[in-house]
Amino acid sequence: MNNSVVNTARLLGAGLRALLVLTLVTGVIYPLVVTGIAQGLFTGKANGSEVKADGGVVGSSLIGQSYNLPLKKGQETPAPDLNWFQGRPANGLGTNSINTQYKLLLSGATNLSADSKDLIKQVEDARAAVVKDNSVPGYTVKPSDVPPDAVTSSASGLDPDISPAYAELQVHRVAAKNGLSVAKVGKLVENHTQGRTLGFMGEPRVNVLELNTALKGLVAKQ
C-alpha cells in the first residue's frame, strides 16, 4: 500500500473521529446540559410559560387568545364574549391556506400605513365597538377614553397583554356581566397589573389570559 493511500485513510479516520466527537458534544452533551439548566432554573419558561387552571393547561402567557362567542349561522366574524376581558385586535393574522386539516393561528401584522383608509376604518370601527360594548348602566365610555391598544393590533397579532387603562375600561362591563361588584373586578385588575421590566423597560401591562383565569375563579366562588 503506497503512502498516498495510507495518508488518505488516516485523514478519513481523523475526519470521522472529529465528526463523531462534534456530534456527541454539540448534538447530545450540549443540548442535555442546556435543557437540564433550563429545567432546573427556569422550569416555567422552558416549558412554554404555561398557564394552568382546573388541573390542566389553558394556554401560554406569551400568546394572546380570543374570547369570542361561537359563530352563528351565516356569521363570518365571531362576536366577542363580553363576560371576559378582551385582548387587543388581531387584524394582522393570516389564514392557513396550505394545511386545511387544522385551524392554525398565523402571526402577522397588517403592514398598513398610518394614512391608510382601511386602517383608519378599522380603528374607527374598533373604537365604536369598545364604546358600545363597555358602556353599561351607570358607566358610559367616551371615545376619548379608549386607549390605543384597544383599537390597534400588535406587530405579531398575538400580543398577550393589554394596558392597565384598557383593562380598567372593561371593569364595569365585566362586573355587570358576571354579577360581581366593580370593586372586586377592579381589585383583580390591580393584582394582575405588572410594572415595567426591571423597573424601566417597556410599559405596565396586564396579561389577559392570566386575568381571565383569575376571573373564572372569582366567578366560581359566588
PDB file of all heavy atoms in Angstrom, residues 98-123:
ATOM      1  N   ILE A  98     -52.649  26.242   3.364  1.00  0.00           N
ATOM      2  CA  ILE A  98     -51.932  25.038   2.920  1.00  0.00           C
ATOM      3  C   ILE A  98     -52.444  23.800   3.647  1.00  0.00           C
ATOM      4  O   ILE A  98     -52.988  22.873   3.043  1.00  0.00           O
ATOM      5  CB  ILE A  98     -50.420  25.203   3.129  1.00  0.00           C
ATOM      6  CG1 ILE A  98     -49.910  26.392   2.300  1.00  0.00           C
ATOM      7  CG2 ILE A  98     -49.683  23.932   2.726  1.00  0.00           C
ATOM      8  CD1 ILE A  98     -48.449  26.708   2.505  1.00  0.00           C
ATOM      9  N   ASN A  99     -52.280  23.786   4.954  1.00  0.00           N
ATOM     10  CA  ASN A  99     -52.737  22.650   5.742  1.00  0.00           C
ATOM     11  C   ASN A  99     -54.135  22.967   6.279  1.00  0.00           C
ATOM     12  O   ASN A  99     -54.294  23.602   7.313  1.00  0.00           O
ATOM     13  CB  ASN A  99     -51.769  22.389   6.902  1.00  0.00           C
ATOM     14  CG  ASN A  99     -52.148  21.153   7.697  1.00  0.00           C
ATOM     15  OD1 ASN A  99     -53.204  20.576   7.485  1.00  0.00           O
ATOM     16  ND2 ASN A  99     -51.293  20.755   8.611  1.00  0.00           N
ATOM     17  N   THR A 100     -55.139  22.557   5.571  1.00  0.00           N
ATOM     18  CA  THR A 100     -56.523  22.883   5.943  1.00  0.00           C
ATOM     19  C   THR A 100     -57.116  21.881   6.927  1.00  0.00           C
ATOM     20  O   THR A 100     -58.272  22.008   7.319  1.00  0.00           O
ATOM     21  CB  THR A 100     -57.406  22.941   4.682  1.00  0.00           C
ATOM     22  OG1 THR A 100     -57.303  21.686   3.979  1.00  0.00           O
ATOM     23  CG2 THR A 100     -56.955  24.058   3.766  1.00  0.00           C
ATOM     24  N   GLN A 101     -56.332  20.877   7.327  1.00  0.00           N
ATOM     25  CA  GLN A 101     -56.852  19.905   8.287  1.00  0.00           C
ATOM     26  C   GLN A 101     -56.982  20.534   9.669  1.00  0.00           C
ATOM     27  O   GLN A 101     -57.851  20.175  10.454  1.00  0.00           O
ATOM     28  CB  GLN A 101     -55.911  18.695   8.363  1.00  0.00           C
ATOM     29  CG  GLN A 101     -56.416  17.588   9.306  1.00  0.00           C
ATOM     30  CD  GLN A 101     -55.496  16.381   9.302  1.00  0.00           C
ATOM     31  OE1 GLN A 101     -54.518  16.346   8.580  1.00  0.00           O
ATOM     32  NE2 GLN A 101     -55.812  15.406  10.127  1.00  0.00           N
ATOM     33  N   TYR A 102     -56.106  21.502   9.972  1.00  0.00           N
ATOM     34  CA  TYR A 102     -56.118  22.148  11.275  1.00  0.00           C
ATOM     35  C   TYR A 102     -56.305  23.646  11.098  1.00  0.00           C
ATOM     36  O   TYR A 102     -55.799  24.248  10.158  1.00  0.00           O
ATOM     37  CB  TYR A 102     -54.801  21.892  12.023  1.00  0.00           C
ATOM     38  CG  TYR A 102     -54.515  20.428  12.230  1.00  0.00           C
ATOM     39  CD1 TYR A 102     -53.600  19.757  11.419  1.00  0.00           C
ATOM     40  CD2 TYR A 102     -55.173  19.706  13.212  1.00  0.00           C
ATOM     41  CE1 TYR A 102     -53.341  18.411  11.601  1.00  0.00           C
ATOM     42  CE2 TYR A 102     -54.919  18.362  13.400  1.00  0.00           C
ATOM     43  CZ  TYR A 102     -54.000  17.714  12.595  1.00  0.00           C
ATOM     44  OH  TYR A 102     -53.748  16.385  12.779  1.00  0.00           O
ATOM     45  N   LYS A 103     -57.021  24.244  12.045  1.00  0.00           N
ATOM     46  CA  LYS A 103     -57.219  25.691  12.015  1.00  0.00           C
ATOM     47  C   LYS A 103     -56.091  26.332  12.819  1.00  0.00           C
ATOM     48  O   LYS A 103     -56.075  26.281  14.040  1.00  0.00           O
ATOM     49  CB  LYS A 103     -58.572  26.064  12.617  1.00  0.00           C
ATOM     50  CG  LYS A 103     -58.895  27.551  12.527  1.00  0.00           C
ATOM     51  CD  LYS A 103     -60.270  27.838  13.085  1.00  0.00           C
ATOM     52  CE  LYS A 103     -60.599  29.317  12.976  1.00  0.00           C
ATOM     53  NZ  LYS A 103     -61.941  29.633  13.546  1.00  0.00           N
ATOM     54  N   LEU A 104     -55.130  26.920  12.112  1.00  0.00           N
ATOM     55  CA  LEU A 104     -53.954  27.467  12.762  1.00  0.00           C
ATOM     56  C   LEU A 104     -54.038  28.983  12.882  1.00  0.00           C
ATOM     57  O   LEU A 104     -54.604  29.658  12.032  1.00  0.00           O
ATOM     58  CB  LEU A 104     -52.696  27.107  11.960  1.00  0.00           C
ATOM     59  CG  LEU A 104     -52.444  25.619  11.704  1.00  0.00           C
ATOM     60  CD1 LEU A 104     -51.192  25.449  10.863  1.00  0.00           C
ATOM     61  CD2 LEU A 104     -52.294  24.869  13.020  1.00  0.00           C
ATOM     62  N   LEU A 105     -53.472  29.507  13.974  1.00  0.00           N
ATOM     63  CA  LEU A 105     -53.326  30.943  14.127  1.00  0.00           C
ATOM     64  C   LEU A 105     -51.969  31.343  13.568  1.00  0.00           C
ATOM     65  O   LEU A 105     -50.936  30.894  14.048  1.00  0.00           O
ATOM     66  CB  LEU A 105     -53.398  31.335  15.600  1.00  0.00           C
ATOM     67  CG  LEU A 105     -54.776  31.629  16.177  1.00  0.00           C
ATOM     68  CD1 LEU A 105     -54.638  31.987  17.643  1.00  0.00           C
ATOM     69  CD2 LEU A 105     -55.434  32.772  15.437  1.00  0.00           C
ATOM     70  N   LEU A 106     -51.977  32.158  12.525  1.00  0.00           N
ATOM     71  CA  LEU A 106     -50.730  32.582  11.911  1.00  0.00           C
ATOM     72  C   LEU A 106     -50.431  34.023  12.312  1.00  0.00           C
ATOM     73  O   LEU A 106     -51.260  34.902  12.134  1.00  0.00           O
ATOM     74  CB  LEU A 106     -50.818  32.472  10.386  1.00  0.00           C
ATOM     75  CG  LEU A 106     -51.198  31.083   9.847  1.00  0.00           C
ATOM     76  CD1 LEU A 106     -51.171  31.090   8.326  1.00  0.00           C
ATOM     77  CD2 LEU A 106     -50.263  30.019  10.383  1.00  0.00           C
ATOM     78  N   SER A 107     -49.252  34.240  12.860  1.00  0.00           N
ATOM     79  CA  SER A 107     -48.873  35.563  13.318  1.00  0.00           C
ATOM     80  C   SER A 107     -48.584  36.482  12.140  1.00  0.00           C
ATOM     81  O   SER A 107     -48.088  36.052  11.106  1.00  0.00           O
ATOM     82  CB  SER A 107     -47.640  35.447  14.215  1.00  0.00           C
ATOM     83  OG  SER A 107     -47.150  36.714  14.556  1.00  0.00           O
ATOM     84  N   GLY A 108     -48.875  37.769  12.314  1.00  0.00           N
ATOM     85  CA  GLY A 108     -48.570  38.720  11.253  1.00  0.00           C
ATOM     86  C   GLY A 108     -49.172  40.078  11.518  1.00  0.00           C
ATOM     87  O   GLY A 108     -50.101  40.221  12.310  1.00  0.00           O
ATOM     88  N   ALA A 109     -48.629  41.098  10.878  1.00  0.00           N
ATOM     89  CA  ALA A 109     -49.119  42.465  11.004  1.00  0.00           C
ATOM     90  C   ALA A 109     -49.851  42.872   9.731  1.00  0.00           C
ATOM     91  O   ALA A 109     -49.727  42.221   8.691  1.00  0.00           O
ATOM     92  CB  ALA A 109     -47.952  43.410  11.265  1.00  0.00           C
ATOM     93  N   THR A 110     -50.609  43.951   9.808  1.00  0.00           N
ATOM     94  CA  THR A 110     -51.369  44.402   8.643  1.00  0.00           C
ATOM     95  C   THR A 110     -50.478  45.088   7.615  1.00  0.00           C
ATOM     96  O   THR A 110     -50.773  45.087   6.429  1.00  0.00           O
ATOM     97  CB  THR A 110     -52.456  45.396   9.063  1.00  0.00           C
ATOM     98  OG1 THR A 110     -51.833  46.561   9.644  1.00  0.00           O
ATOM     99  CG2 THR A 110     -53.395  44.771  10.082  1.00  0.00           C
ATOM    100  N   ASN A 111     -49.384  45.704   8.091  1.00  0.00           N
ATOM    101  CA  ASN A 111     -48.481  46.476   7.224  1.00  0.00           C
ATOM    102  C   ASN A 111     -49.187  47.646   6.547  1.00  0.00           C
ATOM    103  O   ASN A 111     -48.739  48.120   5.493  1.00  0.00           O
ATOM    104  CB  ASN A 111     -47.830  45.589   6.154  1.00  0.00           C
ATOM    105  CG  ASN A 111     -46.820  44.625   6.743  1.00  0.00           C
ATOM    106  OD1 ASN A 111     -46.176  44.942   7.734  1.00  0.00           O
ATOM    107  ND2 ASN A 111     -46.692  43.459   6.149  1.00  0.00           N
ATOM    108  N   LEU A 112     -50.287  48.112   7.128  1.00  0.00           N
ATOM    109  CA  LEU A 112     -50.997  49.268   6.575  1.00  0.00           C
ATOM    110  C   LEU A 112     -50.342  50.553   7.074  1.00  0.00           C
ATOM    111  O   LEU A 112     -49.949  50.655   8.230  1.00  0.00           O
ATOM    112  CB  LEU A 112     -52.469  49.240   7.003  1.00  0.00           C
ATOM    113  CG  LEU A 112     -53.294  48.052   6.496  1.00  0.00           C
ATOM    114  CD1 LEU A 112     -54.697  48.073   7.098  1.00  0.00           C
ATOM    115  CD2 LEU A 112     -53.386  48.089   4.975  1.00  0.00           C
ATOM    116  N   SER A 113     -50.222  51.535   6.193  1.00  0.00           N
ATOM    117  CA  SER A 113     -49.608  52.804   6.572  1.00  0.00           C
ATOM    118  C   SER A 113     -50.554  53.607   7.461  1.00  0.00           C
ATOM    119  O   SER A 113     -51.756  53.342   7.527  1.00  0.00           O
ATOM    120  CB  SER A 113     -49.271  53.612   5.319  1.00  0.00           C
ATOM    121  OG  SER A 113     -50.460  53.948   4.623  1.00  0.00           O
ATOM    122  N   ALA A 114     -49.999  54.614   8.132  1.00  0.00           N
ATOM    123  CA  ALA A 114     -50.784  55.399   9.083  1.00  0.00           C
ATOM    124  C   ALA A 114     -51.936  56.146   8.411  1.00  0.00           C
ATOM    125  O   ALA A 114     -52.950  56.439   9.055  1.00  0.00           O
ATOM    126  CB  ALA A 114     -49.875  56.377   9.811  1.00  0.00           C
ATOM    127  N   ASP A 115     -51.777  56.462   7.126  1.00  0.00           N
ATOM    128  CA  ASP A 115     -52.839  57.188   6.423  1.00  0.00           C
ATOM    129  C   ASP A 115     -53.718  56.274   5.569  1.00  0.00           C
ATOM    130  O   ASP A 115     -54.501  56.742   4.745  1.00  0.00           O
ATOM    131  CB  ASP A 115     -52.251  58.301   5.560  1.00  0.00           C
ATOM    132  CG  ASP A 115     -51.299  57.772   4.491  1.00  0.00           C
ATOM    133  OD1 ASP A 115     -50.986  56.565   4.528  1.00  0.00           O
ATOM    134  OD2 ASP A 115     -50.878  58.572   3.629  1.00  0.00           O
ATOM    135  N   SER A 116     -53.593  54.965   5.782  1.00  0.00           N
ATOM    136  CA  SER A 116     -54.400  54.012   5.020  1.00  0.00           C
ATOM    137  C   SER A 116     -55.871  54.135   5.391  1.00  0.00           C
ATOM    138  O   SER A 116     -56.229  54.142   6.574  1.00  0.00           O
ATOM    139  CB  SER A 116     -53.916  52.585   5.297  1.00  0.00           C
ATOM    140  OG  SER A 116     -54.857  51.639   4.842  1.00  0.00           O
ATOM    141  N   LYS A 117     -56.726  54.218   4.383  1.00  0.00           N
ATOM    142  CA  LYS A 117     -58.163  54.303   4.646  1.00  0.00           C
ATOM    143  C   LYS A 117     -58.676  53.045   5.333  1.00  0.00           C
ATOM    144  O   LYS A 117     -59.571  53.103   6.186  1.00  0.00           O
ATOM    145  CB  LYS A 117     -58.922  54.539   3.336  1.00  0.00           C
ATOM    146  CG  LYS A 117     -58.660  55.902   2.703  1.00  0.00           C
ATOM    147  CD  LYS A 117     -59.472  56.082   1.426  1.00  0.00           C
ATOM    148  CE  LYS A 117     -59.225  57.460   0.823  1.00  0.00           C
ATOM    149  NZ  LYS A 117     -59.995  57.648  -0.453  1.00  0.00           N
ATOM    150  N   ASP A 118     -58.100  51.901   4.954  1.00  0.00           N
ATOM    151  CA  ASP A 118     -58.508  50.640   5.587  1.00  0.00           C
ATOM    152  C   ASP A 118     -58.160  50.644   7.075  1.00  0.00           C
ATOM    153  O   ASP A 118     -58.959  50.215   7.918  1.00  0.00           O
ATOM    154  CB  ASP A 118     -57.826  49.457   4.906  1.00  0.00           C
ATOM    155  CG  ASP A 118     -58.342  49.215   3.500  1.00  0.00           C
ATOM    156  OD1 ASP A 118     -59.478  49.643   3.212  1.00  0.00           O
ATOM    157  OD2 ASP A 118     -57.619  48.605   2.690  1.00  0.00           O
ATOM    158  N   LEU A 119     -56.957  51.111   7.406  1.00  0.00           N
ATOM    159  CA  LEU A 119     -56.540  51.157   8.806  1.00  0.00           C
ATOM    160  C   LEU A 119     -57.385  52.148   9.590  1.00  0.00           C
ATOM    161  O   LEU A 119     -57.815  51.848  10.722  1.00  0.00           O
ATOM    162  CB  LEU A 119     -55.065  51.546   8.900  1.00  0.00           C
ATOM    163  CG  LEU A 119     -54.503  51.659  10.324  1.00  0.00           C
ATOM    164  CD1 LEU A 119     -54.638  50.336  11.068  1.00  0.00           C
ATOM    165  CD2 LEU A 119     -53.052  52.119  10.302  1.00  0.00           C
ATOM    166  N   ILE A 120     -57.641  53.296   9.025  1.00  0.00           N
ATOM    167  CA  ILE A 120     -58.459  54.310   9.700  1.00  0.00           C
ATOM    168  C   ILE A 120     -59.853  53.763   9.989  1.00  0.00           C
ATOM    169  O   ILE A 120     -60.393  53.948  11.085  1.00  0.00           O
ATOM    170  CB  ILE A 120     -58.541  55.595   8.845  1.00  0.00           C
ATOM    171  CG1 ILE A 120     -57.164  56.262   8.771  1.00  0.00           C
ATOM    172  CG2 ILE A 120     -59.576  56.556   9.418  1.00  0.00           C
ATOM    173  CD1 ILE A 120     -57.088  57.419   7.815  1.00  0.00           C
ATOM    174  N   LYS A 121     -60.422  53.045   9.026  1.00  0.00           N
ATOM    175  CA  LYS A 121     -61.760  52.466   9.230  1.00  0.00           C
ATOM    176  C   LYS A 121     -61.715  51.382  10.311  1.00  0.00           C
ATOM    177  O   LYS A 121     -62.618  51.286  11.146  1.00  0.00           O
ATOM    178  CB  LYS A 121     -62.303  51.878   7.935  1.00  0.00           C
ATOM    179  CG  LYS A 121     -63.755  51.398   8.065  1.00  0.00           C
ATOM    180  CD  LYS A 121     -64.310  50.924   6.739  1.00  0.00           C
ATOM    181  CE  LYS A 121     -65.807  50.636   6.829  1.00  0.00           C
ATOM    182  NZ  LYS A 121     -66.170  49.766   7.945  1.00  0.00           N
ATOM    183  N   GLN A 122     -60.660  50.556  10.302  1.00  0.00           N
ATOM    184  CA  GLN A 122     -60.523  49.522  11.327  1.00  0.00           C
ATOM    185  C   GLN A 122     -60.482  50.149  12.716  1.00  0.00           C
ATOM    186  O   GLN A 122     -61.149  49.675  13.645  1.00  0.00           O
ATOM    187  CB  GLN A 122     -59.251  48.710  11.085  1.00  0.00           C
ATOM    188  CG  GLN A 122     -59.329  47.725   9.934  1.00  0.00           C
ATOM    189  CD  GLN A 122     -58.024  46.960   9.737  1.00  0.00           C
ATOM    190  OE1 GLN A 122     -57.103  47.070  10.552  1.00  0.00           O
ATOM    191  NE2 GLN A 122     -57.922  46.207   8.657  1.00  0.00           N
ATOM    192  N   VAL A 123     -59.713  51.206  12.861  1.00  0.00           N
ATOM    193  CA  VAL A 123     -59.580  51.880  14.155  1.00  0.00           C
ATOM    194  C   VAL A 123     -60.904  52.507  14.576  1.00  0.00           C
ATOM    195  O   VAL A 123     -61.326  52.383  15.733  1.00  0.00           O
ATOM    196  CB  VAL A 123     -58.468  52.938  14.095  1.00  0.00           C
ATOM    197  CG1 VAL A 123     -58.481  53.808  15.361  1.00  0.00           C
ATOM    198  CG2 VAL A 123     -57.106  52.271  13.933  1.00  0.00           C
TER     199      VAL A 123
END
